[in-house]
Amino acid sequence: MRARWIVVLALLLAGCTGTPDSDGDPVTLRFQSLAWQEESVEANKELVKEWNATHPHVKVEYVQGSWDSVHDQLLTSFEGGEAPDIIHDASDDLADFAYGGYLADLSDLLPGRLKSDIPQRSWDTATFGDGVYGVPFLQEPRVLIANARWLKESGVRVPTPEHPWSWAEFRRITDQLSGAGKYGVAWPLKEPVSATLNLSLSAGGQLFHRGDDGKVTIRFEQADQTVPRTIHDQANTDHSASPTTLGGGGSDTLPGFFGGKYAMVPLGFSYRQQIAQQAPKGFRWQVLPAPAGADGLTQGVSPQTLSVAEDSPHKKEAAAFIDFLLQPENMVRLALGDWMLPTGTAALEDPALHTAKDGWATGTALAAHLRSAPAQSVRGYPEWKDKVATPAFQEYYSGAIGLGELRKRLEEDGNLVLARYQR
Amino acid sequence: MRTSTTGRVGQYAALLGYLVFLAFPFLWLVSTAFKSPRELGSLHPTWIPRHPTLDNFRQAFDEQPLLRAAGNSLLAALAAAVIAVLIATPLAYVMARRRTRLAKAATGWVVVSQAFPLVLVIIPLFLVLKELRLINSLAGLVMVYVVWALPFALWMLVGYVRAVPTELEEAAAVDGAGRLRTLVSVTAPLLAPGIVATALFAFITAWNEFFFALVLLKTPEKQTLPVVLTHFIGAEGVADLGPLAAAAFLATLPSLIIFAIIQRRITGGMLAGAVKS
């Protein structure tokens, strides 16, 4: 009888002190992080250290992952049953893993605090079917980084999140700023599809339309044309957009921007880190909201996410770690480290994210307008993007084809690709 | 005579142009590694950094365990090179000297095997290594590198073996040398440049390899240099250019040093005058 009480007492004590493995060893979770900037890696490692100091029975091991080839690396790890317990990725990479059964449905694992702290529009980016397969925690809008002195001297109206430029006004202003080998804007469009589609939401563009049967078709309608037409006309009609940057990445535009060749560069919000680091002394820059259309400042984003592997034997512990990592004050630390915006409403209220310095306040004001990227859950999107849309948009922006041909390729060729995934 | 001089000048000019073309990325990498962030963002890039700094190297070492990763890479690449050569040399000898159907089929298979994309083999390979408990192990990675390098190593060595005249081996046999003695004392020294070149190929293939290392090595302690280099690259290819260049420059040094040491061994000419025609 006494022995039975001792066993019960021991079990109760074990329950109170944590969740060790069945053999009594502490649980070890592997957390593969894709943080890469110095401050961001530091913030992640510090948070892991803090967790480990306060949770002796659930040890988290920090594993540095890499954005390069992360999809293939994870796929192999899932197939081989060797995936990390906690997975950092981007929401637009999750669809295949979620539908493939590799990720745990977090709907019942996450605490109410976290669920209610992150708005539904962000949860939508990681919701596939009926399940939630990732916690969206960092996101970045596309903004205009402007040469502040140039803008001031030109006398143009400087937009704010409350009074942004319309797309037509933006075109007019870039035209006004151009001349003598200088351009109003330099579009870095090495990856033209996501930039175009995400910005097109502001004008009400959807491109992907889901029918009653659940199948998705592509329709390139009037609202979808606003953004591509603006870029095309800036580059080919007004010559207010530099033609040389159209095929380059964001970093490629920075020397020209610092050198006074371009007045503005549309970039992801996190590029501010590079700009702050590389801008010549005395160079004054400011963050402006992207132009607005019929739907205001709305734009699509694919937030960074934290997921739990379906094969993980410690899903509850992994979810608890995610909850810890995404406590408002910790989310702020991660956001500051990555120069991005947190998704959590409590974190977004932190004063550190509302300073004028480095354009934080402008970016934070855009958070409420960020939606799930249009192609987020469309199966076949990666193939459509690589084989159809990327070359079509590149040719259109360079002036090689017109709007009719662009529409034909996006719709006709695109729907053939999507149909193969929806049989 | 005039035409000959013009032709020679043209040849040298072409050679110089080719050397500049080859050297450009490396020289630019070295220049970038010593530039400050502000100089990296300059519209007028310079070959020689105006304010050379070691900050990129400091940051690279502070942020990532480069030395440990370089040690792992060196270990994996050296082991892969030695094992690949040890296996490939006798096999290549047999394939070159015994021109049977089997040898021809093996040569065909070697060529075909080079066409397999990595993603096709990685999942089965991962499962096999998992069964062998060789995931997250440098031994497992070396095994993969050896298998991956073997076909081409074999192909290279078969060519070198065929270049060794059989008359030399026959002459040694006439002089009373046995099979083993002939192979060790006559054939092997003549094959040395080929063996060195093949080892170098296997070493560099393994040293630069990224994808297998990324997938097969799980813990930071085991990661190799190419994997660690990608930690300076963010989403959508954004890079921390200065530290990345500094780390990449360091990553090229072992290959350069090894090349510098053994390049004379690879240079042909060892067979010159071996046989009177």
Side-chain angles (χ1 to χ4, degrees):
Chain A
M1 190 67 180
R2 184 182 288 173
R4 193 180 296 168
W5 276 110
I6 290 171
V7 171
V8 170
L9 197 64
L11 286 173
L12 278 173
L13 278 172
C16 291
T17 51
T19 49
D21 241 343
S22 53
D23 56 3
D25 292 335
V27 166
T28 300
L29 301 173
R30 277 195 303 134
F31 165 39
Q32 178 170 298
S33 164
L34 299 180
W36 68 282
Q37 305 203 55
E38 195 176 7
E39 306 98 314
S40 169
V41 173
E42 209 169 289
N44 272 278
K45 284 184 175 172
E46 274 173 12
L47 286 168
V48 167
K49 204 185 280 180
E50 286 168 26
W51 166 274
N52 286 336
T54 49
H55 297 77
H57 296 288
V58 184
K59 188 173 172 283
V60 172
E61 195 178 281
Y62 181 90
V63 179
Q64 183 69 61
S66 157
W67 283 103
D68 202 1
S69 304
V70 65
H71 186 88
D72 293 335
Q73 185 245 336
L74 283 175
L75 184 63
T76 314
S77 304
F78 285 134
E79 286 286 343
E82 289 278 336
D85 300 275
I86 301 144
I87 293 157
H88 180 187
D89 203 350
S91 65
D92 57 357
D93 196 36
L94 294 186
D96 283 348
F97 296 145
Y99 287 122
Y102 299 120
L103 297 177
D105 180 3
L106 302 174
S107 309
D108 297 327
L109 289 171
L110 298 171
R113 176 205 73 77
L114 190 58
K115 282 182 187 171
S116 58
D117 186 43
I118 295 174
Q120 187 55 43
R121 58 176 181 274
S122 292
W123 285 116
D124 288 345
T125 62
T127 303
F128 303 97
D130 294 330
V132 174
Y133 294 94
V135 184
F137 70 111
L138 291 178
Q139 57 187 345
E140 62 173 332
R142 209 167 282 267
V143 291
L144 298 171
I145 311 279
N147 181 325
R149 186 167 293 153
W150 187 342
L151 234 57
K152 192 176 177 192
E153 285 170 1
S154 71
V156 300
R157 181 178 78 82
V158 176
T160 61
E162 295 75 31
H163 302 287
W165 287 330
S166 67
W167 282 99
E169 195 179 4
F170 174 54
R171 185 181 161 191
R172 205 167 52 245
I173 283 168
T174 54
D175 193 25
Q176 190 182 327
L177 296 171
S178 303
K182 295 186 173 188
Y183 299 94
V185 66
W187 284 97
L189 288 175
K190 190 176 171 184
E191 303 277 348
V193 185
S194 62
T196 308
L197 264 55
N198 287 341
L199 286 172
S200 287
L201 282 187
S202 67
Q206 285 291 329
L207 200 70
F208 297 97
H209 299 269
R210 199 174 286 276
D212 293 337
D213 57 357
K215 290 189 175 175
V216 176
T217 50
I218 297 170
R219 291 201 305 272
F220 188 62
E221 298 173 335
Q222 199 67 31
D224 297 298
Q225 296 171 14
T226 305
V227 174
R229 280 176 87 140
T230 305
I231 298 172
H232 172 273
D233 292 349
Q234 284 174 323
N236 298 282
T237 309
D238 309 337
H239 304 290
S240 61
S242 165
T244 54
T245 61
L246 287 174
S251 303
D252 304 327
T253 59
L254 294 184
F257 177 60
F258 298 143
K261 276 185 79 175
Y262 324 125
M264 286 175 277
V265 189
L267 291 170
F269 195 51
S270 63
Y271 268 92
R272 294 168 305 131
Q273 194 254 359
Q274 284 201 13
I275 292 169
Q277 203 183 35
Q278 294 182 5
K281 273 182 189 160
F283 182 86
R284 284 178 49 227
W285 56 277
Q286 67 187 113
V287 176
L288 310 176
D295 275 12
L297 287 166
T298 306
Q299 59 173 282
V301 286
S302 298
Q304 294 188 15
T305 53
L306 291 170
S307 305
V308 176
E310 176 63 27
D311 280 351
S312 170
H314 307 294
K315 295 189 187 70
K316 263 171 67 179
E317 292 81 357
F321 174 70
I322 290 176
D323 178 41
F324 164 80
L325 207 61
L326 304 184
Q327 292 289 324
E329 63 275 22
N330 295 344
M331 221 194 249
V332 172
R333 286 160 71 180
L334 294 173
L336 290 172
D338 256 328
W339 290 66
M340 294 176 100
L341 295 177
T343 54
T345 39
L348 272 167
E349 285 167 14
D350 193 286
L353 302 176
H354 291 268
T355 59
K357 189 175 182 304
D358 297 329
W360 276 106
T362 306
T364 309
L366 300 174
H369 303 277
L370 305 180
R371 301 283 181 273
S372 178
Q376 191 80 45
S377 58
V378 177
R379 302 197 81 177
Y381 167 74
E383 185 181 337
W384 172 79
K385 184 185 80 169
D386 293 341
K387 291 186 181 165
V388 177
T390 299
F393 275 118
Q394 280 172 342
E395 286 180 50
Y396 176 64
Y397 289 144
S398 70
I401 61 171
L403 200 66
E405 177 65 15
L406 174 68
R407 179 197 289 111
K408 183 171 161 286
R409 290 213 213 161
L410 294 179
E411 289 184 352
E412 289 181 17
D413 299 351
N415 282 323
L416 285 174
V417 170
L418 294 196
R420 279 198 286 109
Y421 288 83
Q422 303 183 104
R423 280 173 190 152
Chain B
M1 188 68 185
R2 187 180 164 82
T3 314
S4 164
T5 308
T6 313
R8 184 157 294 184
V9 169
Q11 282 176 347
Y12 277 115
L15 184 64
L16 188 68
Y18 186 57
L19 286 178
V20 169
F21 174 74
L22 285 181
F24 178 80
F26 179 70
L27 294 177
W28 193 250
L29 179 76
V30 177
S31 170
T32 305
F34 290 96
K35 283 179 180 170
S36 65
R38 290 193 201 291
E39 217 173 331
L40 286 172
S42 169
L43 183 59
H44 305 291
T46 48
W47 271 105
I48 312 286
R50 282 191 214 109
H51 308 288
T53 173
L54 290 172
D55 277 359
N56 293 325
F57 291 90
R58 181 198 53 72
Q59 197 183 332
F61 276 104
D62 280 356
E63 281 181 39
Q64 299 297 338
L66 290 178
L67 280 181
R68 186 175 66 201
N72 290 339
S73 280
L74 199 63
L75 190 66
L78 278 176
V82 170
I83 296 170
V85 162
L86 285 177
I87 296 173
T89 308
L91 283 177
Y93 186 81
V94 173
M95 283 170 71
R97 291 287 187 253
R98 302 267 180 271
R99 299 198 180 195
T100 60
R101 276 187 188 171
L102 186 66
K104 279 182 188 164
T107 310
W109 173 245
V110 163
V111 176
V112 170
S113 68
Q114 294 297 297
F116 290 137
L118 292 188
V119 284
L120 197 73
V121 296
I122 188 68
I123 290 176
L125 189 70
F126 191 94
L127 294 172
V128 169
L129 288 174
K130 194 184 164 201
E131 283 301 310
L132 296 171
R133 295 177 182 276
L134 286 173
I135 296 291
N136 199 31
S137 131
L138 284 177
L141 190 68
V142 168
M143 198 185 280
V144 174
Y145 286 168
V146 170
V147 173
W148 200 249
L150 255 183
F152 197 75
L154 209 53
W155 203 22
M156 275 177 82
L157 276 171
V158 166
Y160 280 104
V161 174
R162 284 191 184 143
V164 176
T166 49
E167 289 87 340
L168 283 174
E169 292 173 3
E170 288 163 7
V174 169
D175 290 344
R179 192 91 188 131
L180 189 64
R181 177 75 191 272
T182 306
L183 283 175
V184 172
S185 304
V186 178
T187 315
L190 296 174
L191 268 182
I195 291 173
V196 171
T198 309
L200 199 62
F201 155 77
F203 176 86
I204 289 173
T205 307
W207 178 263
N208 291 333
E209 202 285 324
F210 164 68
F211 190 59
F212 286 132
L214 173 76
V215 170
L216 298 177
L217 302 174
K218 299 286 165 198
T219 53
E221 294 75 30
K222 298 280 171 59
Q223 286 177 336
T224 57
L225 206 48
V227 176
V228 170
L229 284 182
T230 62
H231 296 163
F232 294 104
I233 300 172
E236 294 181 25
V238 186
D240 206 351
L241 205 55
L244 175 63
F249 168 55
L250 294 174
T252 57
L253 286 183
S255 306
L256 286 180
I257 292 168
I258 290 174
F259 249 116
I261 293 170
I262 63 174
Q263 56 99 9
R264 287 172 67 188
R265 300 280 296 162
I266 319 174
T267 313
M270 286 189 69
L271 293 177
V275 182
K276 284 181 186 170
S277 52

